[in-house]
Amino acid sequence: MSDQANRLRQEVMKRIQPQVKVRHTKVIAVTSGKGGVGKSNVSLNFALRLVALDKEVMIIDLDVGMANVDVLMGVSPKETLVSMLEQNLTLEAVIQKGVNGLQYISGGNGIGKVFSLEGEQLNHFFKELNALHGLVDYIILDTGAGLSHEGMRFLHAADDVFLVINPEPPSITDAYGVLKALHAKDPKTPVKLIINRAISDQEAGRTAYNFQQASEKFLNKTIDILGWIPDDVMVRKAVMAQSPYILEYPNAKASEAVDQLVHTYLDLPSTYKLGVKGFLTKMLFHK
Ligand SMILES: Nc1ncnc2c1ncn2[C@@H]1O[C@H](COP(=O)(O)OP(=O)(O)O)[C@@H](O)[C@H]1O
Ligand SMILES: [Mg+2]
């Protein structure tokens, strides 16, 4: 083929090939003060709503708690983060396909180890995480409750931290403890509050108000309220059916609330820092 024909061919190919989107991967860490408040359900349904809006999303399950994201989707992972670390696999090898094209990485048994990694294994983990930059729009870290010092590093490194609370006092005081610890390390940590399982607008409003007041009074920190999800019997039904409620019952009150939450989030001014690369830098230098 002559040079000219070759150039022409390249031009045509460029036009017919779909444009490769440049993605600025944003990292969201979902956490809480105590377990069982609904972190995994919030992470999963929030993620699926983003997927429905044409976003590429990946959940990394770092929760040692009760229902893991794979169980909530009714899928079983072939590989996990733990197997990646133990067998020195690439992160790509452990990415699993969830429902509706959602990608996920399952924690696996003993995932708590990730929070106390050192040396070679930690380097391996970071190097592999780095490879995710640009691959997806959002990485959602479903973290465990009441994190250790090491676990906290994941929260500090994220672009956004979603703090999930229930209206009950123990959930609120434990969450306040998390906020205080985050604030002590870095007052600028972008924490957004989600109230889950409120039985009415009033209860959600009161919970948010009390939390905000405490935060302002004792930490001098204004905390964003992302929204609230009602206590909805359909959530339990969906959990039992091992199908995310937003898919199983799209018209349920909880599903509508998540929809609202996602829109509120997308409308907020972006706290985007440096995505995965920024995340890694912060993870490595946070002591
Ligand atoms: N909005 C809700 N309404 C009713 N029940 C809920 C709601 N959110 C969570 N639950 C219940 O709480 C349980 C624990 O939720 P989960 O997401 O596993 O919590 P976590 O990840 O914080 O441990 C679920 O199995 C479900 O039965
Ligand atoms: Mg969980």
Side-chain angles (χ1 to χ4, degrees):
M1 209 184 302
S2 76
D3 268 3
Q4 202 186 356
N6 206 3
R7 262 201 308 277
L8 193 66
R9 189 172 164 273
Q10 281 175 359
E11 266 311 302
V12 173
M13 286 305 286
K14 240 194 263 168
R15 260 178 244 161
I16 56 174
Q17 267 167 6
Q19 291 288 314
V20 179
K21 252 210 264 175
V22 181
R23 298 180 194 280
H24 296 288
T25 308
K26 224 174 145 169
V27 182
I28 301 173
V30 181
T31 195
S32 66
K34 68 182 212 53
V37 298
K39 277 183 309 298
S40 299
N41 274 279
V42 168
S43 302
L44 180 61
N45 289 281
F46 191 91
L48 284 166
R49 192 69 197 103
L50 285 171
V51 168
L53 294 171
D54 257 355
K55 310 283 187 199
E56 287 280 341
V57 189
M58 181 185 298
I59 295 190
I60 304 184
D61 191 347
L62 298 171
D63 192 359
V64 262
M66 31 161 108
N68 296 318
V69 287
D70 42 33
V71 179
L72 294 173
M73 286 190 278
V75 293
S76 38
K78 290 192 189 69
E79 300 290 352
T80 66
L81 214 46
V82 169
S83 58
M84 169 194 139
L85 292 168
E86 283 175 355
Q87 298 161 42
N88 235 17
L89 302 173
T90 65
L91 200 55
E92 213 163 326
V94 300
I95 296 175
Q96 310 287 304
K97 281 262 166 265
V99 288
N100 283 24
L102 175 69
Q103 305 177 63
Y104 78 99
I105 296 176
S106 176
N109 270 339
I111 186 58
K113 275 196 281 201
V114 171
F115 296 125
S116 52
L117 288 179
E118 283 176 357
E120 265 311 295
Q121 277 200 321
L122 190 64
N123 286 340
H124 175 53
F125 183 64
F126 285 145
K127 210 176 89 225
E128 289 301 323
L129 252 182
N130 205 3
L132 294 182
H133 185 76
L135 194 71
V136 294
D137 297 301
Y138 293 94
I139 294 176
I140 299 182
L141 304 174
D142 180 10
T143 76
L147 289 177
S148 60
H149 175 76
E150 292 299 314
M152 281 282 176
R153 292 172 62 190
F154 284 81
L155 304 184
H156 281 294
D159 291 294
D160 281 304
V161 175
F162 291 178
L163 184 58
V164 183
I165 63 171
N166 290 160
E168 289 113 16
S171 149
I172 299 173
T173 43
D174 290 355
Y176 181 73
V178 172
L179 184 69
K180 203 170 149 190
L182 281 173
H183 184 80
K185 254 306 171 238
D186 178 6
K188 289 210 238 15
T189 311
V191 180
K192 294 176 171 60
L193 197 68
I194 296 175
I195 298 113
N196 188 35
R197 309 197 67 166
I199 53 164
S200 66
D201 280 3
Q202 286 80 354
E203 189 181 68
R206 205 167 44 238
T207 307
Y209 178 79
N210 289 342
F211 199 86
Q212 222 165 18
Q213 284 291 99
S215 169
E216 271 168 25
K217 185 166 168 205
F218 301 112
L219 303 176
N220 203 12
K221 183 178 175 75
T222 310
I223 175 166
D224 286 326
I225 313 291
L226 201 56
W228 70 280
I229 302 167
D231 189 75
D232 187 340
V233 54
M234 300 318 239
V235 173
R236 203 181 112 77
K237 275 197 173 173
V239 172
M240 294 303 286
Q242 289 189 270
S243 174
Y245 56 80
I246 206 143
L247 302 180
E248 192 75 5
Y249 306 109
N251 299 320
K253 287 208 168 66
S255 304
E256 283 171 4
V258 169
D259 187 33
Q260 179 63 50
L261 218 69
V262 168
H263 280 103
T264 305
Y265 178 67
L266 294 177
D267 286 345
L268 284 174
S270 176
T271 45
Y272 175 72
K273 287 175 277 190
L274 283 166
V276 176
K277 292 217 187 301
F279 179 78
L280 292 172
T281 314
K282 291 187 88 186
M283 281 291 291
L284 288 167
F285 294 106
H286 175 90
K287 289 282 171 266

